[in-house]
Amino acid sequence: MSFLMIFVTAIFVNNIVLSQFLGICPFLGVSKKISTAAGMGVAVTFVMVLSTIVTYIIYNALLLPLDLTFMTTVTFILVIAALVQMVEIIMKKTSPGLYQALGIYLPLITTNCTVLGVSLLVVQKEFDLSHGVCFALANSLGFTLAIVLFAGLREKLSFVALPKAVQGAPIALITAGLLSMAFMGFSGMGN
């Protein structure tokens, strides 16, 4: 599979959030402001690419040769948790405003199933390291695109007089569904 095809497919056709429904918690929780959503996207991008590299190396250098593949999920979760802690420490020192804006959602990257899902998909699809990194980068950019678009829509909706019954979570879920349907228009591109 070519790098361009991986990028187009992962960002638009099989968007990790809008098509595969991974990472819904931060998608809904951190998407009230574009700046916070973009910060979350950057943090997820960094963690996803870095964790894919580290988990790929651990899987192929340790788990596969020692026939410990049954430990894949647990190992990947531990690696991702350690990387998130590292990102949290770095962000606290370099960007305190973004760190506070992300609040509780930064530690949620640890349990963000997009990060774990992409690491596992790289192994399942038997990508080599370069294709795996491309896949991780494309998926993280797809996550970032989806969350920033969603945040922009939610910001616009805050200026609209909505019926009481759909304010808050209901309109967010309706908007997410419509955004997901819009991305379905790209489904013919992957063939």
Side-chain angles (χ1 to χ4, degrees), residues 21-46:
F21 307 111
L22 295 174
I24 297 296
C25 182
F27 179 71
L28 293 172
V30 188
S31 60
K32 291 182 180 149
K33 290 174 47 180
I34 291 175
S35 59
T36 309
M40 180 62 141
V42 169
V44 166
T45 299
F46 179 73

Tab-separated table of all heavy atoms in Angstrom, residues 21-46:
chain	number	residue	atom	x	y	z
A	21	PHE	N	-15.139	4.911	14.977
A	21	PHE	CA	-15.707	5.257	16.289
A	21	PHE	C	-14.764	4.962	17.456
A	21	PHE	O	-15.193	4.530	18.516
A	21	PHE	CB	-17.071	4.582	16.487
A	21	PHE	CG	-18.017	4.858	15.361
A	21	PHE	CD1	-18.394	3.854	14.491
A	21	PHE	CD2	-18.488	6.136	15.157
A	21	PHE	CE1	-19.248	4.119	13.422
A	21	PHE	CE2	-19.343	6.421	14.096
A	21	PHE	CZ	-19.727	5.397	13.231
A	22	LEU	N	-13.497	5.212	17.244
A	22	LEU	CA	-12.517	5.125	18.326
A	22	LEU	C	-12.199	6.544	18.782
A	22	LEU	O	-12.080	7.451	17.971
A	22	LEU	CB	-11.232	4.434	17.849
A	22	LEU	CG	-11.358	2.973	17.443
A	22	LEU	CD1	-10.047	2.469	16.859
A	22	LEU	CD2	-11.767	2.123	18.619
A	23	GLY	N	-12.055	6.752	20.064
A	23	GLY	CA	-11.708	8.068	20.601
A	23	GLY	C	-12.890	9.002	20.757
A	23	GLY	O	-12.738	10.225	20.710
A	24	ILE	N	-14.058	8.454	20.977
A	24	ILE	CA	-15.259	9.276	21.114
A	24	ILE	C	-15.224	10.134	22.379
A	24	ILE	O	-15.679	11.275	22.373
A	24	ILE	CB	-16.525	8.387	21.097
A	24	ILE	CG1	-16.661	7.670	19.765
A	24	ILE	CG2	-17.779	9.178	21.407
A	24	ILE	CD1	-16.875	8.563	18.579
A	25	CYS	N	-14.658	9.625	23.466
A	25	CYS	CA	-14.633	10.366	24.731
A	25	CYS	C	-13.916	11.711	24.580
A	25	CYS	O	-14.491	12.750	24.885
A	25	CYS	CB	-14.007	9.516	25.832
A	25	CYS	SG	-13.975	10.325	27.429
A	26	PRO	N	-12.662	11.740	24.106
A	26	PRO	CA	-12.039	13.057	23.928
A	26	PRO	C	-12.673	13.849	22.792
A	26	PRO	O	-12.711	15.071	22.830
A	26	PRO	CB	-10.573	12.739	23.626
A	26	PRO	CG	-10.554	11.325	23.198
A	26	PRO	CD	-11.709	10.656	23.857
A	27	PHE	N	-13.205	13.155	21.798
A	27	PHE	CA	-13.874	13.826	20.679
A	27	PHE	C	-15.038	14.666	21.184
A	27	PHE	O	-15.213	15.810	20.783
A	27	PHE	CB	-14.347	12.780	19.669
A	27	PHE	CG	-15.074	13.344	18.478
A	27	PHE	CD1	-14.392	14.053	17.507
A	27	PHE	CD2	-16.430	13.152	18.327
A	27	PHE	CE1	-15.057	14.573	16.400
A	27	PHE	CE2	-17.108	13.661	17.229
A	27	PHE	CZ	-16.420	14.374	16.262
A	28	LEU	N	-15.834	14.118	22.073
A	28	LEU	CA	-16.970	14.855	22.624
A	28	LEU	C	-16.559	15.782	23.759
A	28	LEU	O	-17.110	16.857	23.931
A	28	LEU	CB	-18.052	13.881	23.113
A	28	LEU	CG	-18.746	13.064	22.026
A	28	LEU	CD1	-19.651	12.018	22.650
A	28	LEU	CD2	-19.510	13.965	21.082
A	29	GLY	N	-15.571	15.366	24.550
A	29	GLY	CA	-15.211	16.110	25.749
A	29	GLY	C	-14.337	17.327	25.531
A	29	GLY	O	-14.431	18.302	26.271
A	30	VAL	N	-13.480	17.310	24.521
A	30	VAL	CA	-12.510	18.391	24.342
A	30	VAL	C	-12.850	19.237	23.115
A	30	VAL	O	-12.018	19.968	22.618
A	30	VAL	CB	-11.081	17.813	24.218
A	30	VAL	CG1	-10.033	18.898	24.236
A	30	VAL	CG2	-10.801	16.842	25.333
A	31	SER	N	-14.051	19.138	22.632
A	31	SER	CA	-14.374	19.804	21.370
A	31	SER	C	-15.281	21.014	21.535
A	31	SER	O	-16.016	21.359	20.623
A	31	SER	CB	-15.025	18.795	20.422
A	31	SER	OG	-16.201	18.284	20.999
A	32	LYS	N	-15.211	21.682	22.665
A	32	LYS	CA	-16.055	22.865	22.848
A	32	LYS	C	-15.382	24.122	22.300
A	32	LYS	O	-16.050	25.080	21.958
A	32	LYS	CB	-16.409	23.040	24.323
A	32	LYS	CG	-17.344	21.941	24.796
A	32	LYS	CD	-17.743	22.101	26.231
A	32	LYS	CE	-18.677	20.962	26.598
A	32	LYS	NZ	-18.579	20.574	27.958
A	33	LYS	N	-14.042	24.120	22.242
A	33	LYS	CA	-13.297	25.249	21.701
A	33	LYS	C	-12.274	24.728	20.703
A	33	LYS	O	-11.638	23.700	20.937
A	33	LYS	CB	-12.585	26.004	22.825
A	33	LYS	CG	-13.521	26.768	23.740
A	33	LYS	CD	-12.828	27.388	24.936
A	33	LYS	CE	-11.572	28.109	24.586
A	33	LYS	NZ	-10.898	28.708	25.735
A	34	ILE	N	-12.089	25.452	19.612
A	34	ILE	CA	-11.145	25.024	18.573
A	34	ILE	C	-9.726	24.946	19.126
A	34	ILE	O	-8.993	24.013	18.833
A	34	ILE	CB	-11.213	25.957	17.350
A	34	ILE	CG1	-12.548	25.780	16.637
A	34	ILE	CG2	-10.067	25.683	16.388
A	34	ILE	CD1	-12.773	26.733	15.472
A	35	SER	N	-9.338	25.915	19.949
A	35	SER	CA	-7.967	25.928	20.463
A	35	SER	C	-7.678	24.700	21.326
A	35	SER	O	-6.607	24.087	21.219
A	35	SER	CB	-7.708	27.212	21.258
A	35	SER	OG	-8.615	27.303	22.348
A	36	THR	N	-8.614	24.321	22.158
A	36	THR	CA	-8.440	23.138	22.999
A	36	THR	C	-8.432	21.871	22.148
A	36	THR	O	-7.625	20.968	22.373
A	36	THR	CB	-9.566	23.048	24.054
A	36	THR	OG1	-9.652	24.291	24.736
A	36	THR	CG2	-9.290	21.953	25.056
A	37	ALA	N	-9.313	21.822	21.159
A	37	ALA	CA	-9.375	20.659	20.267
A	37	ALA	C	-8.070	20.515	19.486
A	37	ALA	O	-7.553	19.401	19.329
A	37	ALA	CB	-10.553	20.785	19.315
A	38	ALA	N	-7.545	21.632	19.005
A	38	ALA	CA	-6.281	21.584	18.259
A	38	ALA	C	-5.142	21.132	19.170
A	38	ALA	O	-4.280	20.339	18.758
A	38	ALA	CB	-5.975	22.949	17.651
A	39	GLY	N	-5.118	21.614	20.404
A	39	GLY	CA	-4.100	21.180	21.365
A	39	GLY	C	-4.189	19.695	21.640
A	39	GLY	O	-3.170	18.996	21.708
A	40	MET	N	-5.408	19.194	21.795
A	40	MET	CA	-5.601	17.758	22.003
A	40	MET	C	-5.134	16.984	20.778
A	40	MET	O	-4.503	15.933	20.898
A	40	MET	CB	-7.068	17.463	22.298
A	40	MET	CG	-7.351	15.997	22.528
A	40	MET	SD	-6.463	15.357	23.953
A	40	MET	CE	-7.686	14.305	24.646
A	41	GLY	N	-5.420	17.506	19.592
A	41	GLY	CA	-4.974	16.862	18.359
A	41	GLY	C	-3.465	16.770	18.272
A	41	GLY	O	-2.918	15.735	17.879
A	42	VAL	N	-2.783	17.837	18.655
A	42	VAL	CA	-1.317	17.839	18.641
A	42	VAL	C	-0.776	16.819	19.647
A	42	VAL	O	0.138	16.050	19.340
A	42	VAL	CB	-0.759	19.250	18.931
A	42	VAL	CG1	0.737	19.227	19.187
A	42	VAL	CG2	-1.089	20.189	17.785
A	43	ALA	N	-1.355	16.811	20.842
A	43	ALA	CA	-0.906	15.856	21.870
A	43	ALA	C	-1.149	14.412	21.420
A	43	ALA	O	-0.270	13.552	21.568
A	43	ALA	CB	-1.622	16.128	23.191
A	44	VAL	N	-2.312	14.151	20.841
A	44	VAL	CA	-2.617	12.798	20.362
A	44	VAL	C	-1.686	12.424	19.215
A	44	VAL	O	-1.203	11.291	19.139
A	44	VAL	CB	-4.101	12.681	19.945
A	44	VAL	CG1	-4.356	11.412	19.142
A	44	VAL	CG2	-4.989	12.702	21.177
A	45	THR	N	-1.406	13.366	18.332
A	45	THR	CA	-0.493	13.100	17.211
A	45	THR	C	0.878	12.690	17.722
A	45	THR	O	1.449	11.686	17.286
A	45	THR	CB	-0.375	14.335	16.296
A	45	THR	OG1	-1.656	14.638	15.770
A	45	THR	CG2	0.607	14.095	15.163
A	46	PHE	N	1.399	13.477	18.656
A	46	PHE	CA	2.722	13.172	19.205
A	46	PHE	C	2.736	11.797	19.868
A	46	PHE	O	3.601	10.963	19.584
A	46	PHE	CB	3.134	14.264	20.197
A	46	PHE	CG	4.466	14.013	20.832
A	46	PHE	CD1	5.631	14.181	20.109
A	46	PHE	CD2	4.551	13.602	22.157
A	46	PHE	CE1	6.878	13.936	20.694
A	46	PHE	CE2	5.777	13.357	22.750
A	46	PHE	CZ	6.949	13.529	22.019
